[in-house]
Amino acid sequence: MSLGSVPLKYKITIDREQCMHCMRCIDNCSYGVYHKEDDRIIIDSRKCTACHHCISMCPRDAISLQERPVDYRSHPLWTAEAREDIINQARTGKIILAGMGNAKPYPVIFDRLVLDACQVTNPSIDPLREPMELRTYLGKKPSKLEIDKKDNGDVELLTKLTPNLKLETPIMIGHMSYGAISLNAQLSLAKAVEKTGTFMGTGEGGLHEAIYPYQKNMIVQVASGRFGVDINYLERGAAIEIKIGQGAKPGIGGHLPGEKVCQDVSCTRMIPLGSDAISPAPHHDIYSIEDLAQLVRSLKEATEWKKPVFVKIAAVHNAAAIAAGIARSSADAVVIDGFRGGSGATPKVFRDNVGIPIEAAVASVDQKLKDQGIRNKISVIASGGIRNSADIAKSIALGADAVYIGTGALIAMGCRVCGQCYRGMCPWGIATQRPDLVERLDPEAESEHVANLIRSWTLELSELMGAAGINSIESLRSNRSRLRGYMLDEGTLDVLQVKPVGA
Amino acid sequence: MCGIIGVIDRKRALMDGSSIRDALSLMNERGSGEGAGYAAYGIYPDYQDCYAIHVFFDNIVEPKSQLDHMLHKWGRIVHQEAIPTYEQEGLKRSHIPWRYFFKPYSDLMAGSSTPEDDVMKYIVMETNSNIQGALIFSSGKNMGVFKASGWPEDVANFYRIEDYKGYIWLAHNRYPTNTPGWWGGAHPFNLLDWAVVHNGEITSYGTNRRYVESNGYTCSMFTDTEVVAYLFDLLGRRHGLPEDIVVKALAPPFWDEIDNMPEKEQELNHAIRLTYGPALMNGPFAIVVATHEGIVGFTDRIKLRPLVIGENGNRLYISSEEAAIRVMDPEVQNIHMPRAGEPVIGRLNV
Ligand code: SF4
Ligand code: SF4
């Protein structure tokens, strides 16, 4: 007997009174929800992903979308999702793929942390009238300066600083590869980081020629697949990032299906046209921290020690120990990607169950580096599930130097977090290589949206700092006394090194 | 709030504590009777090679025997006694102030370039975090801190401050907001030769504290001023930076200013900010720090607290109020106010 189908997830209805038969919805839905029969628009709601493209383009606001019009018998353990996953896997025998971030309702630690503000004795600072410094330098810092003070009062600096990346705001855009996202999407992000004086990651997909003009704002990635990596690529980046792990899928590699490897992607990744691009879970030359340290040094050697090298790991329970090891290599920054990080495609079971929250990971990394007296040796970048400027302020107070945003930047370009990125049909032209869909995304307009997002979060961050009586981002970093935990358990407060509210 | 005042005689001429007591009392508007204190340099010429350890004991049985035991392990007690005190009606006695003159065994701190100082620092950190009922609040050579909860006159009279003669004096009148008034929380704060008086609040305390702690200091006094003493010890003594560079690390120029400096200066200031970012102090403050060689006063980068300078011959005065300086020295000249973050340095020139 057949298992039958699972109920549809979303139901689309068109207000026929409002509809003017422009047929735009048919054009807009890349998932084929709409089609025309005679003069009627026929709806197949089962295919809908709630991407909202049709809704946002409908000139009459005639389309409405409802979630789950069919209920199962309610059950606290056997949720609808649990049952549907079983039905789907019983039918296919395959791993369930998913896009975007962790979709389980774990409590968000950020939402149980509150920031502090000044009253009376320590005046708050008005960022409109007083200077606020959000400039951030990422890279190694010496633990002390050697200077020589001459008798005539002249001071000679003896310490030579290693190259650092200079950011005008502690907000960067994380790595999303060409392949996972479209070239237009990458271009929009590149223009946005140039406008705002910050950086973005290329992801593991190489560096497309169209991005060359923005290379001074690019952090080029070296992942296990080594796609697109050659000396030209390394030299073009402002910094190099070795990707060991990713928050959405700790412990596993990546896979870009051959269908998506079009001419352009094949050139950029330096792989044959139409071949699957598989980046293995481990780097096959890294099986220990010493191996990693060697790769860091090799990349530095190749680029004449002129570029900072970052190492990205997924937030897992021993992230702190790994980060301490990375700090002792020649690496300049460690990127910690929390379990809410986005993903173009990942097994759902990983996305939703592996890894730890970024809040706890950053706090424990900062603490370990502090305990070992090497916090200054390395910068810490937090990513994975950062939704607003408050999350950024809290990340920094927990010990990050800067943050990477990913999903937030995509939302600024239209993404509705429908989670279908792995299907390559993104109606917003973001997570797709289909030319007709890519064309929908205008790099000029979208770069302004992303730049606006960075600007507004930067403004909000400076307001939050001002309220806390802080005019320099250095003084927010690791400043746990500016945070209080609300309804957080003792164990978590202990890991975060934060006092409860009222204390 | 809080009133601070400091004075140095650059030729080492000694001053007794009576005039600074009067100057401090003038700033009673800036205090609440919950804490006052004095630091004086040059007061123990007979024991100038020894560390003068001032301790608050809750009783002189258990905590004292524990401290004695530790001191015997790490060095030799040359002399010890209760610090002479005189009952004051307005001052509630909470501790027994005691002093040791102590010589550490330098060979016990192998690998240090300043082994005696490091032994002494270790003893201070150990005592203050691990010996219940003992608090070392002063540990420099030929100098001492005298402080308690009370109004400036009462504290001065309690220790009979006019009996001490020093070439540098610091004094502080406290209006506590962060922590309750307790003897250990009164200023000056001290470690080795560094003594600090501070008016304000340090909003970067969390960051600064983590920084000094990762460098081997333990913050045990529940107050932000403590970290200033440790920052000066770390940057000034252990990293060997001159006072003006330490001040540049703690209250650096803004990036805009750094960007506009001549190349060499820019490079130096850039390096200081990158290296000492976690030592940067934010929030409203005016601070005077002393060592046996001189004093330095500075404010936060946007000058949210007042600081006034005055001079007369070899004397340099730094205070929250011009009037306080005038009480000490009616003839004072060259009264002016330093710019935000600009260090005012008075160094011995003998
Ligand atoms: S998939 Fe998107 S475009 Fe298609 S019907 Fe659903 S919301 Fe509209
Ligand atoms: S990028 Fe596109 S496919 Fe992916 S979640 Fe956003 S809208 Fe959906």
Side-chain angles (χ1 to χ4, degrees):
Chain A
M1 192 153 121
S2 155
L3 270 167
S5 60
V6 296
L8 72 174
K9 278 206 158 28
Y10 313 102
K11 181 156 179 54
I12 290 279
T13 36
I14 296 181
D15 182 338
R16 304 282 169 179
E17 299 269 293
Q18 286 289 322
C19 174
M20 61 183 216
H21 281 262
C22 68
M23 307 292 161
R24 244 176 256 193
C25 47
I26 300 179
D27 293 343
N28 272 295
C29 182
S30 51
Y31 297 103
V33 169
Y34 305 96
H35 70 275
K36 212 168 112 181
E37 257 179 47
D38 302 329
D39 243 5
R40 270 180 74 78
I41 300 168
I42 305 296
I43 302 169
D44 179 1
S45 287
R46 178 169 296 279
K47 293 180 178 159
C48 176
T49 65
C51 78
H52 276 213
H53 208 266
C54 59
I55 294 169
S56 55
M57 298 299 156
C58 174
R60 285 288 184 87
D61 286 333
I63 302 169
S64 49
L65 190 163
Q66 275 177 302
E67 199 168 350
R68 301 214 53 84
V70 177
D71 281 339
Y72 288 80
R73 175 206 157 199
S74 60
H75 193 287
L77 182 64
W78 294 101
T79 59
E81 191 185 338
R83 279 175 272 187
E84 285 184 8
D85 284 354
I86 290 178
I87 294 169
N88 284 329
Q89 292 191 291
R91 190 185 293 125
T92 62
K94 294 203 168 126
I95 288 171
I96 301 176
L97 278 187
M100 300 315 276
N102 190 322
K104 274 207 175 169
Y106 297 105
V108 183
I109 298 176
F110 279 135
D111 291 341
R112 295 183 182 206
L113 284 172
V114 284
L115 289 155
D116 191 23
C118 293
Q119 306 287 301
V120 187
T121 55
N122 45 356
S124 40
I125 301 168
D126 180 353
L128 295 176
R129 287 170 186 80
E130 299 287 348
M132 277 290 155
E133 299 192 309
L134 283 90
R135 190 190 285 185
T136 302
Y137 284 88
L138 294 180
K140 268 197 164 14
K141 319 275 192 296
S143 55
K144 63 183 253 198
L145 279 189
E146 300 285 350
I147 62 163
D148 181 22
K149 192 155 187 176
K150 306 247 161 45
D151 286 343
N152 63 5
D154 275 4
V155 176
E156 187 82 38
L157 180 65
L158 304 176
T159 309
K160 190 105 189 76
L161 263 59
T162 49
N164 269 243
L165 221 52
K166 176 185 164 195
L167 284 60
E168 291 305 335
T169 168
I171 308 167
M172 300 187 289
I173 296 177
H175 289 258
M176 290 174 276
S177 70
Y178 176 43
I181 62 171
S182 66
L183 189 57
N184 275 2
Q186 267 203 344
L187 260 179
S188 310
L189 300 174
K191 287 172 193 277
V193 289
E194 188 189 47
K195 286 177 190 178
T196 49
T198 182
F199 294 82
M200 69 174 273
T202 57
E204 62 168 325
L207 188 69
H208 191 278
E209 270 183 31
I211 312 287
Y212 287 179
Y214 309 96
Q215 62 189 34
K216 62 178 195 318
N217 297 85
M218 288 287 147
I219 301 166
V220 295
Q221 193 176 66
V222 175
S224 62
R226 304 284 197 267
F227 302 123
V229 178
D230 66 3
I231 189 67
N232 172 45
Y233 172 72
L234 297 177
E235 270 171 0
R236 283 182 189 276
I240 301 167
E241 183 166 317
I242 301 169
K243 175 192 159 187
I244 300 293
Q246 184 183 341
K249 40 182 163 178
I252 62 168
H255 181 183
L256 186 70
E259 306 89 74
K260 285 195 181 171
V261 182
C262 58
Q263 187 62 50
D264 237 11
V265 170
S266 103
C267 282
T268 312
R269 289 209 178 204
M270 303 177 191
I271 54 172
L273 186 72
S275 66
D276 283 19
I278 296 176
S279 35
H283 287 242
H284 286 319
D285 52 359
I286 301 178
Y287 287 94
S288 65
I289 196 88
E290 305 89 292
D291 291 348
L292 173 64
Q294 274 196 14
L295 180 60
V296 173
R297 290 182 68 87
S298 314
L299 291 170
K300 290 209 162 199
E301 199 61 49
T303 50
E304 295 170 347
W305 297 81
K306 284 185 186 143
K307 291 178 200 295
V309 172
F310 302 174
V311 177
K312 172 172 162 176
I313 55 169
V316 286
H317 92 274
N318 65 336
I322 301 166
I326 295 172
R328 290 199 166 78
S329 74
S330 309
D332 298 86
V334 57
V335 182
I336 309 156
D337 197 21
F339 80 159
R340 285 204 166 76
S343 164
T346 187
K348 184 166 172 249
V349 66
F350 275 82
R351 185 194 70 177
D352 293 348
N353 299 284
V354 186
I356 65 168
I358 189 61
E359 302 91 319
V362 163
S364 59
V365 165
D366 184 58
Q367 183 67 27
K368 171 81 86 193
L369 296 174
K370 177 207 152 193
D371 289 346
Q372 299 191 356
I374 52 173
R375 176 61 185 86
N376 258 17
K377 278 197 124 181
I378 195 156
S379 297
V380 176
I381 300 163
S383 70
I386 285 164
R387 304 156 299 170
N388 49 48
S389 56
D391 288 356
I392 298 172
K394 292 169 190 176
S395 303
I396 294 174
L398 289 171
D401 290 75
V403 302
Y404 270 145
I405 60 168
T407 309
L410 298 190
I411 295 173
M413 298 197 292
C415 164
R416 295 298 202 261
V417 197
C418 70
Q420 307 291 315
C421 327
Y422 63 98
R423 293 171 61 188
M425 297 202 287
C426 175
W428 293 89
I430 300 168
T432 179
Q433 303 303 331
R434 235 172 75 179
D436 59 320
L437 299 177
V438 174
E439 221 172 65
R440 289 180 179 181
L441 199 148
D442 171 11
E444 256 338 300
E446 296 319 325
S447 70
E448 200 44 42
H449 290 146
V450 176
N452 274 340
L453 179 74
I454 295 175
R455 287 184 196 119
S456 55
W457 283 0
T458 305
L459 282 176
E460 287 179 342
L461 187 56
S462 58
E463 289 284 349
L464 288 169
M465 283 164 52
I470 288 171
N471 58 16
S472 163
I473 195 91
E474 290 104 309
S475 296
L476 184 63
R477 191 174 307 141
S478 304
N479 197 340
R480 312 295 170 85
S481 58
R482 291 286 159 206
L483 288 174
R484 287 293 182 275
Y486 184 49
M487 310 270 282
L488 281 172
D489 63 89
E490 233 176 273
T492 310
L493 286 173
D494 193 44
V495 168
L496 300 176
Q497 292 278 300
V498 167
K499 288 185 183 158
V501 285
Chain B
M1 290 297 267
C2 299
I4 59 179
I5 183 160
V7 57
I8 177 172
D9 188 294
R10 296 186 184 105
K11 290 261 185 265
R12 253 183 204 278
L14 299 178
M15 304 163 261
D16 76 40
S18 55
S19 65
I20 199 161
R21 171 194 63 200
D22 298 343
L24 194 64
S25 307
L26 178 113
M27 295 190 282
N28 274 349
E29 176 74 5
R30 294 184 160 273
S32 60
E34 297 221 43
Y38 303 83
Y41 289 73
I43 54 173
Y44 296 132
D46 295 348
Y47 296 102
Q48 47 178 305
D49 295 332
C50 298
Y51 289 86
I53 306 175
H54 288 193
V55 197
F56 289 140
F57 284 124
D58 287 0
N59 66 69
I60 46 170
V61 190
E62 302 92 356
K64 183 163 185 308
S65 60
Q66 281 184 59
L67 180 56
D68 284 351
H69 181 74
M70 178 153 50
L71 292 175
H72 286 308
K73 208 162 83 185
W74 286 93
R76 191 163 57 85
I77 299 167
V78 176
H79 177 70
Q80 62 167 312
E81 65 191 2
I83 297 178
T85 54
Y86 306 86
E87 295 308 315
Q88 300 299 313
E89 240 179 73
L91 194 148
K92 192 177 153 287
R93 175 187 275 278
S94 312
H95 305 277
I96 302 154
W98 196 271
R99 66 188 165 208
Y100 296 86
F101 295 97
F102 176 71
K103 273 184 107 54
Y105 301 136
S106 52
D107 50 351
L108 292 182
M109 198 57 82
S112 163
S113 53
T114 49
E116 290 201 345
D117 282 345
D118 282 328
V119 168
M120 195 59 239
K121 181 201 136 209
Y122 171 82
I123 291 170
V124 174
M125 298 292 143
E126 267 301 296
T127 306
N128 293 354
S129 42
N130 292 329
I131 303 186
Q132 270 266 305
L135 181 92
I136 298 181
F137 61 97
S138 182
S139 50
K141 281 183 178 168
N142 199 10
M143 63 83 61
V145 168
F146 303 89
K147 62 185 186 181
S149 291
W151 289 102
E153 308 86 319
D154 292 336
V155 174
N157 296 337
F158 178 70
Y159 291 107
R160 207 172 272 166
I161 214 77
E162 65 270 28
D163 291 351
Y164 295 92
K165 292 189 177 57
Y167 59 93
I168 293 175
W169 281 88
L170 297 187
H172 185 266
N173 193 347
R174 181 157 193 243
Y175 201 142
T177 46
N178 269 342
T179 45
W182 66 295
W183 285 33
H187 300 208
F189 277 86
N190 165 279
L191 178 69
L192 303 173
D193 269 354
W194 307 102
V196 180
V197 287
H198 163 215
N199 167 22
E201 253 177 60
I202 300 174
T203 50
S204 55
Y205 173 63
T207 305
N208 305 141
R209 175 181 176 160
R210 289 177 71 81
Y211 179 59
V212 295
E213 284 186 345
S214 74
N215 281 286
Y217 297 84
T218 316
C219 294
S220 50
M221 307 220 203
F222 329 118
T223 170
D224 49 7
T225 310
E226 184 185 15
V227 299
V228 183
Y230 301 163
L231 284 171
F232 265 88
D233 188 54
L234 177 65
L235 271 57
R237 177 175 68 88
R238 285 170 53 199
H239 291 190
L241 301 175
E243 299 87 347
D244 52 337
I245 302 282
V246 177
V247 172
K248 271 207 171 73
L250 270 39
F254 286 94
W255 282 119
D256 282 355
E257 298 167 60
I258 295 176
D259 291 346
N260 289 321
M261 289 174 180
E263 200 189 318
K264 220 175 140 203
E265 209 185 331
Q266 189 178 53
E267 194 194 353
L268 175 68
N269 281 277
H270 184 264
I272 293 173
R273 273 200 80 166
L274 257 62
T275 311
Y276 294 111
L280 188 156
M281 297 196 321
N282 238 293
F285 60 79
I287 288 176
V288 185
V289 180
T291 69
H292 61 279
E293 287 172 335
I295 60 175
V296 52
F298 61 107
T299 66
D300 64 82
R301 311 195 299 157
I302 50 178
K303 209 168 178 187
L304 294 166
R305 288 287 189 276
L307 201 65
V308 184
I309 314 298
E311 277 180 290
N312 190 359
N314 293 320
R315 304 253 161 111
L316 173 79
Y317 302 89
I318 309 179
S319 178
S320 308
E321 306 262 1
E322 179 179 338
I325 299 177
R326 291 200 181 277
V327 167
M328 281 196 87
D329 187 345
E331 312 284 291
V332 66
Q333 288 154 7
N334 198 12
I335 290 274
H336 64 282
M337 279 154 245
R339 286 204 320 261
E342 181 188 286
V344 177
I345 299 175
R347 223 176 253 123
L348 289 182
N349 52 12
V350 278

